[in-house]
Amino acid sequence: MTGISRATMREIDDKHLMCQIKQGDVHHSETPSDFERFQPVGMTGHPLKQDEEQGQQGGGQGGGGGGGGQGGTSGRNDNQPKGPASEACMIYPNGDRSHPIAVNVDDRRVRPYDIQEGEVSHYSGDGSGQMMLHRQEAVYVLTRDGKSYRKDSDQQKRFSSLRHVTKDYQDRKVDGGQPGSGSTAIGLAGFKLKAGSGSSQKKADHVGKLNTGINCFVDRIEFRKKSSGSAWDRELAAREQNRHSEVKLQDPDEEVAPRDDSPDKEGVLHGLWDSLKQNWWWNASKDFQIECGANTFFQAAQHLRIGDHLVQGNTFTSGVEHAADHVAGGGASVTPGGKSSGSGIPGTTSLLAVASQVSGHASQIANQASQIASQASQIADLESRVAALEGVVLRMGGQL
């Protein structure tokens, strides 16, 4: 025979191979502690603690009560906390109330309601509205800024991230203990972590260190990679836009490590869309390659470039080109591929030099033309004088 009850969960202890409930309230005076919570494989979550009632101290842990995982009862207890809490279905294998198991824990404080027929959501347990939503037309990974069910969360900044990381494998060092700390149920070896591998260890880092990733904020999209330690990456890491001091926990918890946004943890920014500045920014320590089977098209008020420009092929311009000079006789060689390279062949004939020579020749021709004109004028003057002399001679001959 298996008994079934409903219960509210005061607090979760997730430092075990099988999640445990620290305390849960079933009936009056029935408050089992340190019992297992079964979850589907591939899904796990840590519900929020039970809310404190007004004037209540100690996080709703007041009130005793026995039963459940602690075995036995200690008389009626009407001081169990009444604040909103996550809720669970409790089952008791073979009807043994000393061996409770929590299944199907839900929390009406944070569950996103009004999900449409056929939709499925994997959501954040703090009521922030973050979720992975499966709909007919798409799968959405969603985050938002602002209020959650946590206190002082109205100004919380958040982002969504798709990343490959490096993180430690979680060791499964176990002994032959029983499930729970006080259970007298059937022994299932291997459910207790060995000493030093549970709460006494450093907190588990499930985020890890970024290798490559894409981050989406309310006003920017980031493309990041692990820092190589090079001078180039160190210079990028030192820039203000590489850090996000605004993404800090608005509801700090002594059990939650503060967010580490150092380059060692979050990598280095190499690509960015900034909706406030309305611009894209990319950075590569080596090559930036674009390969197209047809055309590339760029349209802008100005195309700004710094550095040598190598073109393998003809250049056609419909407008006017303005340049300090053009040197003919050179060329360029470009090698595409994984390690693109190129080289320029210097020209030998400067357009400015040619123009200078042409100008010099024109000046010489002009001088020569001036000299010829002067000489022609002199010849014409001589011809005029000769004609006058011929006239005099003719007249003198007539008189004789």
Side-chain angles (χ1 to χ4, degrees):
M1 182 182 70
T2 300
I4 300 177
S5 297
R6 298 178 63 144
T8 55
M9 304 293 101
R10 297 192 190 183
E11 190 173 355
I12 306 295
D13 181 1
D14 201 33
K15 298 181 177 66
H16 303 269
L17 295 183
M18 185 72 78
C19 179
Q20 287 192 187
I21 310 297
K22 283 187 176 181
Q23 281 186 310
D25 294 299
V26 185
H27 301 297
H28 287 299
S29 299
E30 186 177 359
T31 304
S33 61
D34 298 320
F35 56 93
E36 294 170 306
R37 171 195 170 200
F38 282 17
Q39 303 177 78
V41 172
M43 300 277 291
T44 188
H46 192 149
L48 296 172
K49 298 177 183 178
Q50 185 170 17
D51 290 357
E52 292 184 9
E53 296 178 275
Q54 189 173 4
Q56 178 181 334
Q57 301 294 326
Q61 298 306 314
Q70 295 298 330
T73 61
S74 56
R76 186 176 181 83
N77 170 32
D78 293 326
N79 294 321
Q80 293 165 312
K82 305 292 193 301
S86 58
E87 304 167 46
C89 176
M90 304 281 284
I91 62 173
Y92 304 89
N94 299 317
D96 185 354
R97 303 293 286 191
S98 69
H99 182 202
I101 297 174
V103 297
N104 295 334
V105 178
D106 206 344
D107 195 338
R108 60 185 82 219
R109 298 172 297 176
V110 299
R111 189 188 75 84
Y113 58 89
D114 201 21
I115 296 293
Q116 304 303 304
E117 181 179 350
E119 296 179 359
V120 175
S121 172
H122 179 211
Y123 63 93
S124 173
D126 63 358
S128 62
Q130 301 184 100
M131 66 174 69
M132 177 181 288
L133 179 62
H134 295 255
R135 293 182 44 149
Q136 181 176 348
E137 78 281 5
V139 176
Y140 297 90
V141 179
L142 308 171
T143 190
R144 56 178 290 276
D145 291 347
K147 185 178 181 179
S148 71
Y149 197 80
R150 298 178 185 273
K151 63 182 180 181
D152 302 325
S153 62
D154 288 2
Q155 303 303 317
Q156 180 68 60
K157 301 294 184 181
R158 302 183 183 90
F159 65 98
S160 60
S161 184
L162 172 67
R163 57 181 59 189
H164 186 284
V165 301
T166 297
K167 67 177 184 178
D168 294 335
Y169 172 78
Q170 282 193 293
D171 206 354
R172 259 62 178 170
K173 296 180 179 178
V174 296
D175 60 21
Q178 306 284 351
S181 61
S183 173
T184 58
I186 300 173
L188 300 176
F191 271 67
K192 291 178 64 179
L193 293 171
K194 283 187 176 180
S197 60
S199 59
S200 62
Q201 281 189 327
K202 66 179 182 179
K203 299 184 185 304
D205 179 11
H206 294 292
V207 174
K209 294 183 178 181
L210 180 142
N211 294 321
T212 56
I214 302 174
N215 295 339
C216 293
F217 293 80
V218 64
D219 55 8
R220 55 195 279 157
I221 305 171
E222 296 184 344
F223 297 81
R224 289 177 170 266
K225 77 170 189 66
K226 178 181 179 181
S227 175
S228 65
S230 65
W232 184 281
D233 276 2
R234 289 197 303 272
E235 191 276 329
L236 290 177
R239 298 183 182 183
E240 181 179 356
Q241 62 185 2
N242 196 66
R243 307 297 289 271
H244 288 284
S245 58
E246 76 277 10
V247 184
K248 58 184 178 182
L249 301 181
Q250 300 296 318
D251 178 21
D253 188 319
E254 66 276 5
E255 294 186 2
V256 178
R259 179 174 179 269
D260 180 2
D261 69 345
S262 67
D264 181 59
K265 180 77 171 178
E266 284 293 302
V268 179
L269 187 64
H270 277 264
L272 170 68
W273 161 253
D274 191 324
S275 61
L276 298 179
K277 296 180 180 179
Q278 286 293 297
N279 74 322
W280 278 102
W281 172 86
W282 298 98
N283 188 293
S285 61
K286 293 186 178 179
D287 294 345
F288 189 95
Q289 298 186 19
I290 300 175
E291 296 184 14
C292 299
N295 302 318
T296 58
F297 175 80
F298 300 92
Q299 181 175 344
Q302 286 185 309
H303 298 277
L304 311 177
R305 298 179 182 180
I306 298 176
D308 294 339
H309 185 203
L310 305 179
V311 177
Q312 184 169 301
N314 298 323
T315 301
F316 299 87
T317 305
S318 63
V320 178
E321 287 199 17
H322 302 266
D325 192 7
H326 285 273
V327 183
S333 176
V334 177
T335 303
K339 294 183 178 180
S340 299
S341 62
S343 60
I345 304 171
T348 56
T349 305
S350 166
L351 183 59
L352 284 180
V354 170
S356 177
Q357 293 174 2
V358 170
S359 177
H361 291 317
S363 179
Q364 293 175 4
I365 292 172
N367 289 334
Q368 292 174 354
S370 178
Q371 293 175 6
I372 291 172
S374 177
Q375 292 172 355
S377 177
Q378 293 174 4
I379 292 171
D381 183 61
L382 289 174
E383 289 177 342
S384 177
R385 292 180 181 183
V386 168
L389 288 173
E390 288 178 345
V392 171
V393 170
L394 290 173
R395 288 195 299 271
M396 290 178 65
Q399 292 177 358
L400 293 175

